[in-house]
Amino acid sequence: MENFKKVSASKITLSELMLPSHSNFSGKIHGGYILSLMDQIAFASASKYSGKYCVTASVDTVDFLNPIEVGELVTLKASVNYVGKTSMVVGIRVTSENIQTGKVKHCNSSYFTMVAKDNSGNSVPVPTLILSNPEEVRRFYESVRRMNSKKEYKAIENTFDYSSAEALKNLEAFNVKLEL
């Protein structure tokens, strides 16, 4: 009998007040600390959905859009956007709120690929994803688009000759000096 679950079975929200101990040398919240929180919520979302221990296989693009200040309330929201046979793409949105003014900022969004494991460390199947609304369908297809783009880029990268005359000539467009 096949196992099915809705996206709602994976939804997790995590909120944390940012403390001075989370800040970097410029007084903003350290990006590494936010990445750690993102990894935690990706694990929680994927594990809740699959019912299995999950590991991070990859992280797809983390663009820090707005700095987070000490004293702000950071909220991370995560849900499974896509499932394969043993893997899941967990979408994460990070916002921060100035608790004195109520102003909310979108700080970043990212996509973590998580893999379900058994007690021996072997990859195991995850439930089939039930998409229940147009937003879930959009997120699913966006995950497919990102995966296809990665595959296309890798195919080009694997066949590209970095030492060809054309490749070396193209370096002139960048801020590099070639001394071969």
Side-chain angles (χ1 to χ4, degrees), residues 145 147-158:
R145 183 192 57 75
M147 289 185 300
N148 287 339
S149 292
K150 259 203 241 183
K151 287 176 188 172
E152 290 170 16
Y153 179 77
K154 283 182 182 179
I156 291 169
E157 189 178 64
N158 289 338

Side-chain angles (χ1 to χ4, degrees), residues 5-178:
K5 284 192 176 178
K6 291 185 174 190
V7 171
S8 59
S10 71
K11 289 189 181 231
I12 300 276
T13 300
L14 172 71
S15 293
E16 186 172 328
L17 184 64
M18 294 296 103
L19 304 174
S21 61
H22 303 137
S23 66
N24 59 24
F25 294 112
S26 68
K28 308 296 182 197
I29 300 305
H30 196 288
Y33 185 72
I34 299 302
L35 284 170
S36 173
L37 292 176
M38 293 170 75
D39 193 50
Q40 288 175 40
I41 200 168
F43 167 82
S45 176
S47 295
K48 181 180 176 190
Y49 177 81
S50 67
K52 303 291 181 188
Y53 177 78
C54 294
V55 297
T56 305
S58 70
V59 178
D60 191 5
T61 310
V62 179
D63 293 323
F64 293 97
L65 306 173
N66 288 295
I68 300 171
E69 307 289 338
V70 170
E72 290 185 333
L73 183 65
V74 167
T75 299
L76 297 90
K77 292 186 178 187
S79 64
V80 170
N81 291 351
Y82 169 91
V83 298
K85 184 178 178 196
T86 62
S87 66
M88 298 149 280
V89 174
V90 176
I92 303 167
R93 181 178 174 90
V94 180
T95 59
S96 68
E97 179 182 359
N98 180 313
I99 55 177
Q100 293 174 324
T101 66
K103 182 181 178 193
V104 176
K105 299 179 290 189
H106 177 208
C107 299
N108 66 47
S109 294
S110 189
Y111 306 93
F112 281 53
T113 300
M114 308 297 289
V115 178
K117 299 288 186 174
D118 64 16
N119 292 335
S120 301
N122 300 309
S123 298
V124 293
V126 298
T128 299
L129 188 62
I130 299 171
L131 303 175
S132 303
N133 61 56
E135 181 65 12
E136 292 173 1
V137 171
R138 183 191 67 77
R139 288 178 178 169
F140 183 90
Y141 273 120
E142 283 294 315
S143 293
V144 171
R145 183 192 57 75
R146 277 190 305 279
M147 289 185 300
N148 287 339
S149 292
K150 259 203 241 183
K151 287 176 188 172
E152 290 170 16
Y153 179 77
K154 283 182 182 179
I156 291 169
E157 189 178 64
N158 289 338
T159 60
F160 187 72
D161 180 2
Y162 293 95
S163 62
S164 70
E166 178 187 0
L168 296 175
K169 175 89 172 119
N170 287 340
L171 286 174
E172 293 174 2
F174 298 95
N175 189 25
V176 297
K177 181 178 179 186
L178 192 59

